[in-house]
Amino acid sequence: MTRVAVATAFGGPEVIAIVDEQLAEPAAGQVLVEVKAIGVNPIDYKLYSGAFGSDVSTLPLHLGNEASGVVVAVGDAAQGRGGPVSVGDEVIVKGVGGVYAEKVLVPAEAVLPKPAELDWESAAGLLGVAGTAFDTLETVGIAAGDTLLVHGAAGGVGSIVVQLARARGARVIGTARAINHDALREYGAEPVEYGPGLIERIRELAPDGIDAAIDAVGTDEAIDVSLELLSDTSRLVTIAAFGRAAKDGFPSVGGANPQSLERRSNAALSLIAQAAAGEFTVTIAKTFPLSDAAKAHAELQSEHPRGKFVLIP
Ligand SMILES: NC(=O)c1ccc[n+]([C@@H]2O[C@H](COP(=O)([O-])OP(=O)(O)OC[C@H]3O[C@@H](n4cnc5c(N)ncnc54)[C@H](OP(=O)(O)O)[C@@H]3O)[C@@H](O)[C@H]2O)c1
């Protein structure tokens, strides 16, 4: 048996229930992981919000797609992303649904080794934001000498975009609330406040213009300002304004896009190694017990502290 958090209906965080479910022994190619920490991402609540459909036959919805934990049982021929998987291995689980749980039974290929340098919380919250950030940088081809504008630069994804872009030698201008500007400077970005007058503030900082823009928030303001400033719209990418990307003809990336999935999956081991080496940092804002998943989701949907939310079973 395992305790899991599921969405029992479509709606707000109040639809989340904590229930007990049966767990089978691992079959060939499967691994049973005792979960230590779970990364919380906006997609977790968007899935039961109705934004991606509301087919009741999919209920209860099992939530969450990234976690860290310890392998407690393995089936035959359990080959993980870093080689054979054994009982006792400390791992990251990524790319399977339903990890809001005390224990998860997953295909071995969803398991990657967790370096000792990463604590459980950082490991659990790493790959969703870092994979997305890497995907955006590749999509707009960020290289040394570029001036990059990042919208939502203090966010889970945005903060990694900033750090990885700086490591590539780009200059980064990032939008955030004033309270987050010191943190942006620490990540290596020049901060600007979003809101009315944004385009003038950016022009003041970069009179020769910007070369690329990454939207990690999805507002019309972020898209309108980027389109106005960029001559080449192939160098704007969004992770959230999918309607605008389709309408205005610029790229978007997402976990449901096969090219994004492949790119993120191929980069996963190297992103883990870079994080373990301290080349970028995942900021953890808050931890909640798994039983408070609804509270975490409600808070994540309002103005919230900078950094990732993590659930502890
Ligand atoms: N397509 C993908 O593959 C993918 C992957 C991950 C996430 N996403 C999506 O990307 C978005 C961000 O995800 P996240 O995990 O980074 O969330 P997050 O940690 O909550 O960050 C969002 C950031 O947006 C900023 N923000 C809020 N209102 C803003 C505004 N009006 N203008 C500019 N910035 C504003 C906030 O910064 P301040 O506190 O400074 O206001 C906040 O830090 C979500 O919609 C999520 O669903 C998509």
Side-chain angles (χ1 to χ4, degrees):
M1 294 288 276
T2 180
R3 303 217 88 191
V4 302
V6 294
T8 56
F10 291 96
E14 71 284 352
V15 304
I16 295 180
I18 308 294
V19 298
D20 289 326
E21 286 188 350
Q22 294 287 347
L23 264 181
E25 289 297 311
Q30 288 186 323
V31 173
L32 183 65
V33 177
E34 184 179 281
V35 177
K36 297 285 190 188
I38 301 154
V40 179
N41 290 291
I43 188 70
D44 301 346
Y45 60 73
K46 287 184 183 181
L47 282 176
Y48 62 76
S49 72
F52 293 95
S54 49
D55 176 359
V56 290
S57 72
T58 61
L59 297 173
L61 279 178
H62 288 72
L63 305 173
N65 65 60
E66 58 177 346
S68 58
V70 178
V71 174
V72 289
V74 293
D76 291 338
Q79 192 71 16
R81 294 285 307 282
V85 184
S86 307
V87 169
D89 286 356
E90 298 190 350
V91 295
I92 292 172
V93 178
K94 176 68 188 151
V96 284
V99 302
Y100 277 29
E102 289 172 336
K103 285 184 187 160
V104 283
L105 185 62
V106 297
E109 57 268 26
V111 157
L112 304 100
K114 180 190 89 66
E117 294 85 349
L118 293 181
D119 59 30
W120 295 115
E121 290 84 359
S122 307
L126 169 71
L127 283 178
V129 288
T132 306
F134 176 80
D135 195 6
T136 62
L137 292 165
E138 289 292 297
T139 301
V140 295
I142 293 304
D146 278 335
T147 297
L148 168 67
L149 171 63
V150 180
H151 299 279
V157 177
S159 62
I160 311 294
V161 171
V162 171
Q163 295 175 76
L164 294 179
R166 293 289 293 141
R168 289 180 181 212
R171 176 189 177 197
V172 182
I173 296 170
T175 75
R177 271 186 292 160
I179 196 176
N180 289 326
H181 284 192
D182 282 346
L184 280 202
R185 288 187 195 96
E186 277 170 35
Y187 295 138
E190 296 160 57
V192 283
E193 263 193 90
Y194 52 79
L198 174 61
I199 199 159
E200 288 77 23
R201 290 191 287 282
I202 295 166
R203 283 192 170 124
E204 206 169 299
L205 275 175
D208 295 333
I210 59 164
D211 300 300
I214 293 175
D215 166 41
V217 62
T219 58
D220 280 333
E221 176 189 64
I223 302 305
D224 291 339
V225 163
S226 302
L227 290 173
E228 178 82 25
L229 290 172
L230 284 171
S231 47
D232 176 1
T233 55
S234 74
R235 299 208 74 194
L236 164 63
V237 65
T238 183
I239 66 169
F242 299 112
R244 288 297 305 266
K247 176 171 158 278
D248 295 298
F250 62 87
S252 64
V253 295
N257 169 334
Q259 195 189 354
S260 283
L261 267 184
E262 188 182 351
R263 191 181 262 155
R264 295 174 193 196
S265 172
N266 289 342
L269 287 170
S270 131
L271 288 167
I272 292 170
Q274 283 176 265
E279 290 173 24
F280 67 91
T281 306
V282 179
T283 304
I284 304 300
K286 258 180 127 164
T287 60
F288 299 77
L290 176 61
S291 53
D292 279 349
K295 198 171 157 204
H297 284 193
E299 199 169 324
L300 193 60
Q301 290 177 72
S302 56
E303 199 173 88
H304 59 81
R306 180 178 55 85
K308 286 210 66 71
F309 286 8
V310 171
L311 302 174
I312 306 294

